[in-house]
Amino acid sequence: MSKRSKACDISPKVKKKVWERDNHCCIICGSPYAMPNAHYIARSQGGLGIEQNVVTLCMRCHNDYDNGNSRISTGYKIQWYLKSCYENWNEKDLIYRKGDDK
């Protein structure tokens, strides 16, 4: 596994923390049938697998965010949510950069 792949993967420890932070439900629609495995900044864009970049979404909301017409509006909701959870949240800190030891 490359350093980038490892940095962008979501570890079980991060999933557990995100699941708890998100009160065991989708942060968009509230469904309890959700998983803490959605990157705010996509893995394909270098989005890190860290708590500040991962949220709990149900399959429908995750699919809409990844592939649907609601990507922008859902993105704003996720961004607002993450900003409300982390005082110094910054998108620039969520992206893998070659040479980082994250």
Side-chain angles (χ1 to χ4, degrees), residues 65-95:
Y65 182 55
D66 284 349
N67 306 308
N69 294 330
S70 64
R71 176 148 185 93
I72 293 172
S73 62
T74 302
Y76 283 132
K77 290 175 187 175
I78 295 171
Q79 181 186 61
W80 177 87
Y81 178 77
L82 290 169
K83 283 182 177 182
S84 74
C85 292
Y86 303 100
E87 184 177 338
N88 296 315
W89 186 87
N90 186 333
E91 282 189 37
K92 293 177 184 178
D93 298 332
L94 310 178
I95 302 169

Side-chain angles (χ1 to χ4, degrees), residues 16-97:
K16 183 178 182 191
K17 286 183 178 182
V18 169
W19 182 242
E20 306 239 342
R21 179 198 68 205
D22 297 347
N23 295 312
H24 312 107
C25 63
C26 177
I27 65 159
I28 301 299
C29 73
S31 171
Y33 303 104
M35 294 174 44
N37 64 355
H39 285 75
Y40 168 66
I41 295 180
R43 287 178 62 140
S44 61
Q45 302 300 315
L48 296 170
I50 59 175
E51 293 172 53
Q52 297 84 353
N53 190 45
V54 177
V55 293
T56 301
L57 296 179
C58 67
M59 286 182 63
R60 190 187 93 223
C61 290
H62 197 166
N63 186 56
D64 284 350
Y65 182 55
D66 284 349
N67 306 308
N69 294 330
S70 64
R71 176 148 185 93
I72 293 172
S73 62
T74 302
Y76 283 132
K77 290 175 187 175
I78 295 171
Q79 181 186 61
W80 177 87
Y81 178 77
L82 290 169
K83 283 182 177 182
S84 74
C85 292
Y86 303 100
E87 184 177 338
N88 296 315
W89 186 87
N90 186 333
E91 282 189 37
K92 293 177 184 178
D93 298 332
L94 310 178
I95 302 169
Y96 176 81
R97 287 176 184 72

